[in-house]
Amino acid sequence: MTTAAVPAPAVAAPAPRRTSSARGRVTVNAVMVAMILYFLMPFWWLVVAATKDNDALFSTAALWFHSPGAFFTNLQQLFTYNDGEYLRWMGNTAIYAGVSGVGATAVATFAGYAFAKYRFPGRNLLFSSLLGAIMVPATALAIPTYLLLSKVALTNTMWAVILPSLLNPFGVYLVRVYVQESLPDELLEAARVDGAGELRVLFNVALPTLKPALVTVLLFSMVGTWNNFFLPLVMLNNDKLFPLTVGLQSWYQGALIQSGANALFTLVIAGSLVAILPLIVAFLLLQRYWRGGLTVGSLK
């Protein structure tokens, strides 16, 4: 008795799957490289342009250095032009960003904690209104805010920039999500059973846990105020109160009126480069807290 040989089953080759996976990685890496170049190109142009004098700025290659020594000349002119006007604008910007950042973080912390841990009438309606406020562009509120502040004679003062910047709906949302994800009710109840009041529970139990979210809100608020242009432009007409954004724009307009006869173009470029350095330092120092806060928000 003979038995027919049973052919071995064919094994599917995994090569096409690996090839498809490798092709996907190459595509993703190529897109990442393209995006990196896209975002770094303006910064590279700014660094290169800061090394040129007024004539070389319009007559040499746009993406390569001309005279690195001219960079220090531009810096010296930047900090001494018009009795150190740039330094005054930088000080104003630091005040606006610092006070607004700390204030907005405090408001977002109290509001987000209340939305997450307390039950009160109208809570869902208020939070829905808050989410709607995130979608409203800040520029659309600039004119109504100007009319409100003009009623109480606060326009053309520092408060006209600081007070509107204290409201950060996205910060409130981020803090609420972070509180819900990282702060269990049992921990708060245990503190209350031990005799802690509500303020002590908030400051001694909740805030240390919320540090990544608070740093994230602080960083977003400070960067938003530092880069804010339209609100100070609407609120201020005294150049001694200008932040860097409005001040550099006024120099740029002056250079256009003079058709480049004055070396203000180089001052605008050097000033723009110096203006972003504090933001880069802040991101490098706070990035680990910032990424932690963003991760919790994205998981929600």
Side-chain angles (χ1 to χ4, degrees):
M1 179 178 181
T2 60
T3 57
V6 178
V11 178
R17 186 173 181 178
R18 287 201 298 269
T19 303
S20 177
S21 177
R23 189 181 300 119
R25 286 197 299 272
V26 171
T27 303
V28 171
N29 290 334
V31 172
M32 291 289 292
V33 170
M35 295 302 294
I36 290 173
L37 293 177
Y38 176 78
F39 285 108
L40 286 182
M41 188 65 71
F43 181 71
W44 173 254
W45 180 89
L46 191 61
V47 173
V48 169
T51 65
K52 300 177 181 179
D53 56 28
N54 205 45
D55 294 332
L57 187 62
F58 301 99
S59 59
T60 60
L63 296 179
W64 196 245
F65 301 97
H66 173 68
S67 175
F71 174 71
F72 298 100
T73 303
N74 292 336
L75 286 183
Q76 188 269 335
Q77 293 177 349
L78 173 69
F79 293 124
T80 58
Y81 181 77
N82 205 8
D83 296 329
E85 195 172 37
Y86 182 83
L87 290 176
R88 183 167 61 247
W89 292 341
M90 177 165 278
N92 293 339
T93 306
I95 293 174
Y96 294 142
V99 176
S100 300
V102 173
T105 304
V107 172
T109 301
F110 295 142
Y113 180 80
F115 276 124
K117 293 301 179 185
Y118 292 108
R119 303 291 182 268
F120 51 88
R123 188 186 69 150
N124 293 333
L125 178 61
L126 288 175
F127 191 70
S128 299
S129 302
L130 175 75
L131 293 179
I134 296 176
M135 306 302 173
V136 179
T139 51
L141 301 176
I143 300 302
T145 305
Y146 174 84
L147 296 176
L148 289 174
L149 292 179
S150 66
K151 295 290 185 182
V152 291
L154 285 179
T155 54
N156 202 29
T157 67
M158 283 193 165
W159 292 111
V161 178
I162 293 174
L163 289 179
S165 302
L166 296 180
L167 303 178
N168 185 352
F170 177 74
V172 177
Y173 169 76
L174 183 63
V175 172
R176 178 187 174 172
V177 171
Y178 201 95
V179 170
Q180 289 177 331
E181 294 294 327
S182 63
L183 198 61
D185 292 337
E186 292 78 6
L187 180 62
L188 303 182
E189 289 299 329
R192 293 185 181 111
V193 169
D194 289 341
E198 291 302 319
L199 289 178
R200 190 174 179 185
V201 170
L202 172 62
F203 286 102
N204 292 359
V205 179
L207 291 189
T209 308
L210 303 179
K211 189 181 297 181
L214 303 188
V215 173
T216 304
V217 175
L218 174 65
L219 196 55
F220 275 162
S221 301
M222 291 182 64
V223 171
T225 307
W226 189 282
N227 292 327
N228 200 349
F229 170 74
F230 190 64
L231 181 67
L233 180 67
V234 171
M235 296 292 179
L236 306 175
N237 56 32
N238 182 357
D239 60 357
K240 296 185 185 308
L241 299 176
F242 283 174
L244 283 174
T245 50
V246 181
L248 290 175
Q249 194 270 346
S250 69
W251 278 0
Y252 178 73
Q253 291 296 328
L256 290 179
I257 294 174
Q258 300 170 19
S259 301
N262 203 348
L264 288 178
F265 284 124
T266 56
L267 300 189
V268 172
I269 292 172
S272 300
L273 179 61
V274 173
I276 64 175
L277 295 182
L279 300 181
I280 295 176
V281 173
F283 269 105
L284 293 177
L285 293 177
L286 303 175
Q287 60 176 331
R288 63 191 181 99
Y289 299 105
W290 177 58
R291 285 183 301 187
L294 278 185
T295 302
V296 171
S298 62
L299 290 177
K300 189 68 175 178

